[in-house]
Amino acid sequence: MSQDYDRSIAERSLLTVARRVFWITLAATLIAGALASLHYASMHLTLSHYDARAHLVVARRVIDSLTPGWRQFGSVWLPLPHIVNLIPSAWDWSYRTGAGAVVISILSMGLGLAAVSKTLVLRTGSVAAGLAAPALALANPNVLYLLATPMTEPLLFGLTLLSLWAVDQWIGQPSHATSRRAAALLAALVLTRYEGWLVAAVLVALAVGVSWRRRPAGLHRLWAFPLLAIAAFLLLSRAGTGQWPMSESFFVPDPDLVHQPLVVLRKMTTGVLDLAGLPLTLAGAVGLVLLLVRARSSPRLLIFAAPLAAAALPLVAFYDGHPYRVRYLVPVVLAAAVLAAMALAALTRLSRTMTLAAAVLLVLASVWAAPPLDRQAPMVIEAQWETPFRIERQRVTAELVGRDDGSPVLASMGSLAHYMHETSHAGFALRRFLHEGNGDLWPEALKNPRKSVRWILIEERAEGGDVLAARARQDPAFLDGFERVIEGGGLVLYERK
């Protein structure tokens, strides 16, 4: 009886500590995110990545379009980031600066890191491990940069960690309430980025594997909700675009990567080392090995390896020839931070003081290898590769605005969404563009653009050119009656004679 009482007291004490760690982590993330966003905004890097602008456009076009409405959510991109950004993007200032979307990035990341830190404390009994994971993530310049942008990765990170927490809660206390919460978060995760499909699959598989013999309450929701969410996305995309997602290739295969597994693995290994640094990478690898060993007696702990499943997507994509992007490897940095915390937790059995000292040393070593706010961080550099082209395109924008007559402009949003956002700073409304999301207007304009538009914008350089450039190559008569007015940064403006 006395032992049960003492155990109950210890559990309540640990829960109190875990709650404090949750709030400390949340506050630290919000502060770090706010400071980072101000820093990168002062350097004009908030929207330097073309996808940051493109995501704002996809959210905005639901209300600002030639054909506004729910069909504008249909695209190859998953809809949740654009749904949550719908209201912020409706505000012109927020749309042009990306400020509202950045707030969402910071909040989602803060909640995710706070949730995983609490879970780490509860499962390992180590406060140092619980604080180390968010510290390692926030100290990384690549994670910190993405946190200060409208990119979809912060929402992916936040929902990944929240789903991990919710599934762990359900495994420990299976009920209809915990299953609904876990199922809802898993559904949100699979509607954010495609990496989320892999992470959700691993979390569901672990939950089923650990608990299927007990037949716990709500088990069916954990797999049913994400599957229904994916099915809804596929139908939405089909209804909005007239085709299934990924039914056509959206990139030109890189001959240096396509079907070369050793080259891909070497490229990914180098990328992870560049992003995370050697100390964090090694600590994460050690944590994974220790986790696999401990999982033989405590399989529930395997949920802390679930974020690593996101690495499978770039592995397959690069093998298929997708051009190398270091951004696709940033989720591995987050996974390494969680796994490194598990490695630190293993030291708790020896000494709590040793664990705290090791955690401090690891954070310092990681900061030394990859300093926060480093302008030479791989993600920051990659985000700026298109900047020279953006500056050159300003000449095209000036010409378009100077000769504007209020008529629609034919352009592919699949390739020029980022440029459409750029024109908003010149007062050019998004609804002025005729693009793939405009239903029957798009194929009709492709048949005979002279009858539909006065202006055509074509991306002729990036990825071998956009769909309009390909159409012009296949059909020499496509641009009959149009003359080349100006070009800049690979973008060409045509005007009907």
Side-chain angles (χ1 to χ4, degrees), residues 378-397:
M379 187 63 247
V380 180
I381 293 176
E382 183 175 282
Q384 299 178 76
W385 77 268
E386 203 235 5
T387 299
F389 304 132
R390 175 169 54 83
I391 294 174
E392 290 181 22
R393 288 194 297 265
Q394 292 176 356
R395 296 188 293 111
V396 179
T397 303

Side-chain angles (χ1 to χ4, degrees), residues 327-362:
R327 174 165 60 99
Y328 297 155
L329 300 175
V330 178
V332 181
V333 178
L334 184 74
V338 175
L339 292 171
M342 292 301 297
L344 292 169
L347 297 175
T348 305
R349 299 179 179 181
L350 301 176
S351 169
R352 293 183 182 275
T353 303
M354 183 184 298
T355 305
L356 178 60
V360 172
L361 288 175
L362 178 57

Side-chain angles (χ1 to χ4, degrees), residues 26-348:
L26 178 59
T29 305
L30 296 182
I31 293 172
L35 293 176
S37 64
L38 292 174
H39 172 75
Y40 288 116
S42 68
M43 298 169 63
H44 306 289
L45 293 177
T46 304
L47 300 177
S48 60
H49 199 289
Y50 55 91
D51 270 357
R53 285 167 270 147
H55 284 298
L56 293 171
V57 167
V58 174
R60 172 85 173 196
R61 72 180 188 176
V62 177
I63 60 169
D64 186 4
S65 173
L66 286 172
T67 55
W70 63 269
R71 291 179 183 273
Q72 297 300 321
F73 284 121
S75 71
V76 70
W77 276 337
L78 290 155
L80 185 62
H82 311 126
I83 293 174
V84 298
N85 277 315
L86 178 59
I87 294 177
S89 66
W91 180 17
D92 287 347
W93 177 82
S94 177
Y95 170 63
R96 290 171 184 168
T97 62
V102 170
V103 171
I104 293 173
S105 294
I106 295 172
L107 286 175
S108 58
M109 189 72 169
L111 290 171
L113 287 175
V116 79
S117 64
K118 178 181 178 181
T119 307
L120 281 165
V121 173
L122 291 174
R123 295 298 149 254
T124 67
S126 173
V127 175
L131 292 174
L136 290 168
L138 291 174
N140 185 270
N142 306 285
V143 174
L144 201 57
Y145 172 71
L146 286 173
L147 182 60
T149 70
M151 303 287 275
T152 55
E153 279 80 3
L155 186 59
L156 170 71
F157 299 160
L159 287 172
T160 292
L161 300 178
L162 283 169
S163 298
L164 185 157
W165 161 76
V167 170
D168 175 77
Q169 290 285 304
W170 177 83
I171 293 174
Q173 296 178 332
S175 67
H176 293 294
T178 55
S179 72
R180 281 193 292 267
R181 181 170 57 206
L185 286 169
L186 288 168
L189 176 60
V190 301
L191 290 177
T192 301
R193 285 183 62 89
Y194 291 105
E195 294 96 329
W197 293 20
L198 303 170
V199 175
V202 170
L203 286 172
V204 172
L206 289 172
V208 172
V210 170
S211 60
W212 68 274
R213 290 183 179 179
R214 293 181 288 148
R215 299 185 181 276
L219 176 60
H220 64 285
R221 292 192 184 95
L222 267 64
W223 57 264
F225 277 40
L227 285 179
L228 288 174
I230 292 174
F233 157 67
L234 295 175
L235 293 174
L236 173 66
S237 185
R238 174 72 178 182
T241 64
Q243 60 185 16
W244 299 108
M246 305 294 183
S247 58
E248 295 181 1
S249 177
F250 58 95
F251 62 85
V252 177
D254 184 347
D256 294 332
L257 294 175
V258 62
H259 299 162
Q260 299 188 57
L262 294 180
V263 175
V264 170
L265 288 173
R266 184 167 60 250
K267 194 81 170 176
M268 290 184 63
T269 302
T270 302
V272 171
L273 285 170
D274 290 341
L275 288 167
L278 184 60
L280 178 55
T281 303
L282 288 178
V286 172
L288 178 60
V289 172
L290 293 176
L291 186 61
L292 294 175
V293 172
R294 291 189 62 187
R296 298 175 62 184
S297 58
S298 301
R300 179 179 179 179
L301 293 177
L302 283 173
I303 62 169
F304 291 110
L308 192 59
L313 185 70
L315 179 64
V316 174
F318 296 153
Y319 179 78
D320 285 340
H322 191 291
Y324 178 76
R325 299 287 185 268
V326 74
R327 174 165 60 99
Y328 297 155
L329 300 175
V330 178
V332 181
V333 178
L334 184 74
V338 175
L339 292 171
M342 292 301 297
L344 292 169
L347 297 175
T348 305

Side-chain angles (χ1 to χ4, degrees), residues 449-450 453-454 456 479-483 494-497:
R450 291 181 299 279
V453 296
R454 176 184 173 186
I456 300 178
L479 292 175
D480 282 355
F482 287 86
E483 61 181 355
Y494 290 88
E495 180 184 11
R496 187 179 62 209
K497 296 178 182 178

